[in-house]
Each structure stands twice: as structure tokens, then as C-alpha cells.
Amino acid sequence: MDATKRAQWLATSVLILTALVLIGLLGRVAWIQKHVDAKERERLAKQHTAIIPLPANRATIFTSGGVPMALSVRMYNLFADPSLILDPDGKLNALKDKDLEKAQKMLYEALAPLCNKPSEEIRFLVESNARFANGSPRRFLWLAREVDEDFYNRFMALKKKMHEDSRDESRAASKNKNEASRIQQAKNAKILFHTLDGVSFVNSVKRVYPLGQLGGHILGFANDYGGVDGMEHQLEDLLKGHPGYMRVIKDASRHTVLIQDQKYVEPDNGRNVWLTVDTVVQSIAEEELAKAVKTYNAEGGTAVVLNPHTGHIVAMANFPSFDPNNYSTADQRNRVNKAVVFPYEPGSIFKPFVMAWAIEKKLVKPTDVFDCHGGRWYDPAGRLVTDTHGYGALSAEDILVKSSNIGMTQIGWRLGIPALHEGITTFGFGARTGVELPGDQKGIVTPLARWNKGTLTSVSFGYEVAATPLQLVRGYATFANDGYLITPHVIQAVTGDDSKPAPWTDFSRAEKPQRIISAATCETMRKMMEGVYIWGTAKSTRSNVYRLFGKTGTAHIAGKARSTEGHGYGDTDYNSSFLAGGPMTHPELVCVVTIHKPDRKLGHFGGTVAAPAATALLERSLLYMQVKPDQVADPGPRKPASGTH
């Protein structure tokens, strides 16, 4: 057979063989399609496709002025592969023997300044974690967790420089005619290129709070799993968004070669939220509260500042404070937002609500006179009621200004049980405020059917009833806005469907506030409570800038009792409080400050302990808001009260 025929025969044989192979493959494919079940097809599909989740970005929480209070930032986590770095079996690393040892030394020295650790410490960490307890090789070891972008950039710059130096060495080696020198340069190039092979990064996201403790009790915090406390928890569904995903086709090496457009779902990021909190007013509230608590060596305190017209919570503070950045080390008790969660017997700061209802029902006028019996009096049921200071005949106005329990009891009895119960519930006590914050408490108001004469007397001056600071300042706002019971809000706006901020009212569908007392009653109450500053229990804290109105409160705390049976109230534990609003001409803000268990040796009356902080808080906030001063020349004392109850 000549060469030409032999070539033709070989070509024909190859062609026939190829055709047979193709026919066989087609037959196999046809058989697979016919005989392989759905489960097997799914398994085969997984070999060349993958679903990659696309996490949504957690939204940012801002102050009312647009300052970020909570946001998510990208973090970097440096890890090492000890088995690759050490390569005890000589199978993983591209370098061997002395070259590997040299690369290890260079690696530890390069990481030392980045990790702020001695190179020997890094070496020991890697070498001591080369294997698990069962002897199997360890392929993953954290070197630095949650480092910032600067750390990451410095590492990548170092890696880039090593690779550039490696290329320079390779070029130099290619031009070097000395064989020994050329070989060494080639080795050096390889060492430089592979030195950092055993370390890399895993990206993560961390929730940070740029303002630190400022507004911490409002914000709460979020961890890797979602919101835990405060607004981070309450708005979890709004903030977290919804993850997306994409389906990709991979090659035999599991490298992505194609993204299937029809299987791509874009993540829906969370919606940004703007709170009603003002950064400056919040700072003032926290500062004045901390000062008062420390001055009187108290266990803690709470302050709330409210816009009486919109219901916006401008500031809400608790002391001891809480920094969401350090939630894992914070005392759990200090993370509680006591302004919303903890109701307490308010004592005398409750008297304005009783007085206002009596005036509204035309049962009492400010000029009506009551005999306060020198500080000791038995109510119609025979219960002894006392005043801190003995008074004789007092007008209703002076009863409020001087905070007479005996006078208020007589006014409460004039109202009677049904009317007094109606009054305090109308002011919102015994019901949730409706604020968006978690833990909004109802407080305690005894059901009407269980009221008795003792309840009537106690409630008249703020006992046998419990309210949160937010409930108290909400009720007090009624006197500042001409009689409307507002719903407090801590959310101002939310990102809408058009990615622009939209008013929270568009989402919340809050009911319009209802008028519960007349504007005339509110004006009367403001004038009466201005007297608290002029000749009453807070005269020493009167503002020189604004005409303010307020009410002091010094309430015994139930617990350690004076009686042998262990019931009642102790002699040493008090909640010292002050409610305030202003300016008189057009009230812009109302606030409450409560100091819990001040040291009685240093002071415990509300006018001494809480009134200075509340007045300073209100005055400084109004000045910051550029509210026009309305204070007049000192009118001089009018029947000065002895004591600061």
C-alpha cells in the first residue's frame, strides 16, 4: 500500500471512529434524558450551577438634622492558612525548604507592624495552631478581626509592592549572565511573589454608632443577627431590607463563567430612618442629667424633652448612660430605657393634672380658699394627711404652687371618685402613649370598680398611681398646646418608595390629637405654675431669660417601710422630679427630669435636686433654638413658701 492510500485509509478510519464516538455520546445523552430521574438531574445541575446570595445593606438611622446615629460599615478580617504557610508535608506551598523558611520569616515581619504585634508572637500563633487536637491540619486561623479599611489598604499596598519587587527581580534575572546570581535572583522573585500566599481577608459588616452614647437608649443596638434593643429592634423589618440572589454557571473548576440574567434578583436595601432627636438638645439633656445625678450621688435619672405641638421627642436620656458600640460589656440594667419602661409613683408632679381637671369641671377656681390645717388633717374617711410645712388658709393657686397635700386632697374629694378617675385617664394615664419605642408601658391606674376612699386621697397628690416619665411629660404637654393630648413620636421621616425621605405620618396613619381640656384651663394652669418659679417650690431656679412654668415632685419610694409589718414607704428613698415648659407666651418645649434615689444628706426635694437640671435643660435648649426671650423684670417675692417640696 503506497503512502497516499495509507493516508486515505487512516483518515477514513479516524473519521469513522469519531462518528461512532459522537453517535455513542448522543445515544448516552438520549438515554440519560429518558432514564435519569428528577432528583439525579437536580444533582447534576448543582455541579455546574450555584445560587449566590446577595445581602441587603442595613439602613442608616439619622438625627432630625441628618447626622448619622447608626450605620453599617464594611470591615475586614485577616486570616491565615497555617497548613499552607508551614506546609509540613511539602504539598501545598509553591516554596520548599530554605526558601519556605525565608518566606515565613518575611511574612511574620511584614505582618508585625500591621497587627501591632511582635513578629515572634505571630510566628508562635501560626505554629502553635498548625493542627487541630485530633492531628488534622488547620486551614483557617484568625489573625485580626474587624480591622478598618486603612489596615486593608496597607496590607494590599504591601502585597502589591512585593509582587512588583518580584517582577523586578525576574527581569533582572533574565538579563543576568552570571548563572549562580541569576538562579538566586529567580529564587528571590519566587519568594517575594509567594510570601503572602497564606494570608487573606474575609469581608464583614459592622454596625457602628458614631455619636457614641448620645441617644444610646433610643437607638438600642444591632448585632450580626439583627436589632436587639431600642429602635434597632423596633424597626428591624424596615432597616434590614430583603436579600437578593443570582444564579451562576460554573466550569469544572467551580469558577463563575456566566450569570443568568433571568435568575438575578437585586437586593432591596433597608429604608433609612430620621429620628426626631436633635443632637444638641440630646447632648444638653445628657449633660444636665449626669450633672444632677452625680451632684446628689443618686442611683440614676431620666430626662425627656418634648415638642408639645408635634409630639416629637427632641431628647430622651437616662443615666447611667449606655454606648451601643460597647453593648457586649454594658451592664444590662443600664441598657433599659427607663423613660418608657419603668413607671413610678410621681408624687407632687401629678398634682397639676388633678387641679386642671377640677378647674375644667368648674368645681374649683384658682382663687378658691381651702384650710390646710397647719400641716396635719384627717380626710373625711379618717386618714391622716400631712404637709412638709404647715400652712393655714391657701388659695387653690397657692395649694399647687406650695404643693400642699392637704389642699390637693380636699380638691380630690370635691371631684369625687368617678370624676377623678375620668380625669387622670383622660390625660392618658393607664394607657400606652403610642410612641414607636419598644416597651411602652401603660403605667398603673386602679380600675374604677376597685377605687375606695383611700385611693381617692392617695391619687389626689400622686400616689397609688404610677406613670412613666414619657407619660408625665406627654400629659404636661397638654398645658402647653391649649389642651390637646398628643401622641409622642421618635420617628420623623423614612425613605419612601421613590428613595426620598417621606414624613413618618405617611406610614403611621396616626390619629389626630383630641382636645381634652379647654385653652382657657391651659392658660390658667400655666399662670398658676409660673408661680412655682416666682414664689413657690422652685423659686431658686428661676430663669433669667424665659418665663417658664413648672411643678416640683418629691415622692417616697415604696419598699423598705417604716412599719414593723414591712409595708408602706421608707424614710430615705425618693424620686425627685420636675416638670417644666416654656416660654409662657408660646411654649415650644416641655420636659421632665427625674432623679432616682438621691442621697438625702445632700438633698432630696424636687425643687432642690431636679428643678435646676430641668430649668437649665429647658433654657439652654430654647436658646439653641433661637427662641426669643420673654422674661420680665423680677416682680419680687409673693408670699414666699418655706421649703422646696
Side-chain angles (χ1 to χ4, degrees):
M1 184 182 293
D2 58 20
T4 303
K5 288 184 177 181
R6 186 182 297 111
Q8 289 177 346
W9 180 84
L10 287 173
T12 302
S13 299
V14 169
L15 183 61
I16 292 171
L17 182 61
T18 302
L20 290 173
V21 170
L22 288 174
I23 291 169
L25 289 173
L26 289 172
R28 178 62 176 167
V29 170
W31 185 90
I32 289 174
Q33 288 180 335
K34 185 176 180 180
H35 293 87
V36 176
D37 58 19
K39 187 176 181 180
E40 182 66 15
R41 282 198 296 270
E42 182 180 352
R43 186 187 69 79
L44 292 171
K46 286 181 178 179
Q47 292 182 352
H48 62 84
T49 62
I51 301 295
I52 299 178
L54 302 173
N57 294 326
R58 190 173 183 87
T60 301
I61 301 176
F62 298 93
T63 66
S64 60
V67 178
M69 297 183 78
L71 69 157
S72 298
V73 297
R74 178 184 293 177
M75 305 300 290
Y76 302 89
N77 305 275
L78 182 67
F79 72 91
D81 181 345
S83 293
L84 177 61
I85 294 171
L86 302 175
D87 195 15
D89 299 325
K91 297 178 180 179
L92 297 175
N93 205 302
L95 303 174
K96 308 297 178 187
D97 303 326
K98 291 184 178 180
D99 291 346
L100 180 59
E101 292 177 5
K102 186 175 181 180
Q104 291 168 1
K105 186 173 185 297
M106 290 174 61
L107 171 65
Y108 303 144
E109 291 176 350
L111 292 178
L114 279 174
C115 299
N116 197 26
K117 295 178 181 178
S119 60
E120 281 299 305
E121 183 177 334
I122 298 174
R123 180 190 66 79
F124 177 78
L125 180 65
V126 173
E127 292 182 357
S128 61
N129 288 279
R131 294 185 182 276
F132 291 103
N134 62 5
S136 60
R138 183 191 289 268
R139 301 300 305 269
F140 192 93
L141 174 67
W142 288 121
L143 294 180
R145 299 293 303 273
E146 293 185 342
V147 295
D148 58 18
E149 194 163 354
D150 178 64
F151 185 106
Y152 174 79
N153 289 337
R154 284 188 292 148
F155 177 89
M156 297 308 293
L158 175 64
K159 187 172 185 178
K160 181 180 178 181
K161 185 177 186 306
M162 283 189 168
H163 285 181
E164 289 174 348
D165 291 346
S166 173
R167 285 194 294 270
D168 291 342
E169 282 287 300
S170 294
R171 293 191 190 101
S174 64
K175 298 177 182 178
N176 195 337
K177 296 183 179 180
N178 184 302
E179 184 177 358
S181 177
R182 182 172 66 251
I183 293 173
Q184 187 58 49
Q185 282 182 318
K187 284 185 177 182
N188 291 341
K190 190 175 182 180
I191 292 170
L192 284 168
F193 190 83
H194 292 290
T195 292
L196 298 180
D197 281 359
V199 289
S200 188
F201 286 92
V202 173
N203 292 347
S204 65
V205 176
K206 183 180 181 181
R207 196 68 168 170
V208 298
Y209 303 89
L211 301 183
Q213 68 182 28
L214 197 74
H217 289 94
I218 297 174
L219 288 172
F221 67 93
N223 57 23
D224 294 340
Y225 303 100
V228 178
D229 276 342
M231 297 308 292
E232 288 275 34
H233 169 72
Q234 194 76 343
L235 299 177
E236 175 66 12
D237 290 340
L238 201 64
L239 293 169
K240 71 177 182 180
H242 301 282
Y245 65 89
M246 63 179 177
R247 186 171 182 175
V248 299
I249 296 176
K250 293 181 174 290
D251 61 17
S253 300
R254 303 298 291 168
H255 297 135
T256 299
V257 294
L258 178 65
I259 298 175
Q260 295 181 314
D261 292 340
Q262 68 273 24
K263 296 294 184 178
Y264 175 81
V265 177
E266 186 176 2
D268 181 13
N269 294 327
R271 297 185 181 225
N272 293 335
V273 175
W274 286 259
L275 301 183
T276 58
V277 175
D278 184 284
T279 311
V280 175
V281 179
Q282 180 71 30
S283 299
I284 296 170
E286 294 189 10
E287 179 184 330
E288 293 295 342
L289 181 64
K291 180 180 176 183
V293 171
K294 293 175 182 177
T295 299
Y296 293 97
N297 194 27
E299 282 194 6
T302 302
V304 183
V305 182
L306 191 69
N307 182 316
H309 306 286
T310 63
H312 287 177
I313 295 171
V314 186
M316 180 177 280
N318 293 273
F319 191 90
S321 55
F322 155 64
D323 186 347
N325 290 302
N326 303 317
Y327 67 83
S328 60
T329 58
D331 188 325
Q332 189 171 358
R333 293 170 296 180
N334 295 340
R335 296 193 338 226
V336 177
N337 188 354
K338 298 178 179 66
V340 176
V341 172
F342 283 173
Y344 67 101
E345 289 181 291
S348 294
I349 57 171
F350 198 73
K351 292 173 181 176
F353 308 110
V354 178
M355 180 69 75
W357 198 246
I359 292 173
E360 180 71 13
K361 294 301 179 181
K362 304 189 184 307
L363 296 174
V364 171
K365 297 190 296 293
T367 54
D368 288 351
V369 177
F370 297 81
D371 185 358
C372 293
H373 301 277
R376 288 177 62 85
W377 175 71
Y378 290 90
D379 71 11
R383 174 181 167 184
L384 177 63
V385 181
T386 62
D387 282 331
T388 303
H389 307 285
Y391 302 115
L394 291 177
S395 67
E397 180 179 15
D398 281 336
I399 286 171
L400 188 64
V401 169
K402 297 183 178 184
S403 202
S404 167
N405 293 338
I406 294 173
M408 287 304 304
T409 301
Q410 294 178 63
I411 292 171
W413 276 76
R414 184 174 290 188
L415 274 165
I417 289 177
L420 183 53
H421 180 274
E422 178 192 16
I424 64 176
T425 54
T426 299
F427 273 101
F429 299 106
R432 304 187 196 282
T433 66
V435 71
E436 298 88 1
L437 288 161
D440 184 23
Q441 295 295 305
K442 293 180 179 180
I444 301 173
V445 173
T446 303
L448 180 58
R450 290 168 49 195
W451 276 48
N452 54 39
K453 294 176 181 179
T455 306
L456 179 60
T457 292
S458 295
V459 173
S460 297
F461 49 88
Y463 287 89
E464 206 174 320
V465 62
T468 65
L470 182 60
Q471 285 179 305
L472 289 163
V473 76
R474 177 202 187 194
Y476 201 69
T478 304
F479 305 130
N481 63 25
D482 287 342
Y484 290 91
L485 184 66
I486 56 173
T487 299
H489 293 291
V490 75
I491 305 175
Q492 179 173 283
V494 174
T495 300
D497 294 333
D498 59 356
S499 300
K500 296 180 181 179
W504 175 243
T505 51
D506 291 354
F507 300 89
S508 64
R509 300 185 181 90
E511 295 181 3
K512 290 185 178 180
Q514 300 297 313
R515 171 166 273 168
I516 60 172
I517 57 176
S518 67
T521 298
C522 293
E523 184 178 3
T524 298
M525 290 300 300
R526 291 198 300 270
K527 288 179 179 178
M528 291 170 69
M529 288 186 288
E530 185 181 19
V532 173
Y533 275 111
I534 298 174
W535 72 88
T537 52
K539 61 181 181 179
S540 62
T541 64
R542 186 184 181 211
S543 170
N544 294 320
V545 183
Y546 296 103
R547 292 173 60 197
L548 306 177
F549 53 96
K551 182 68 191 80
T552 55
T554 309
H556 290 278
I557 297 176
K560 294 180 181 179
R562 290 171 283 189
S563 65
T564 56
E565 294 81 7
H567 303 292
Y569 298 86
D571 286 324
T572 58
D573 293 341
Y574 296 88
N575 279 315
S576 305
S577 305
F578 195 75
L579 281 165
M584 279 285 294
T585 47
H586 183 74
E588 296 286 349
L589 296 175
V590 291
C591 74
V592 63
V593 171
T594 297
I595 307 300
H596 184 59
K597 292 187 179 181
D599 187 339
R600 198 169 188 272
K601 297 176 183 178
L602 301 174
H604 69 287
F605 287 122
T608 301
V609 176
T615 303
L617 168 56
L618 208 55
E619 184 180 282
R620 291 176 62 189
S621 299
L622 291 170
L623 285 170
Y624 154 71
M625 294 167 60
Q626 300 184 359
V627 175
K628 184 178 179 181
D630 67 344
Q631 185 58 280
V632 295
D634 190 342
R638 174 195 168 201
K639 304 177 186 176
S642 56
T644 52
H645 182 63

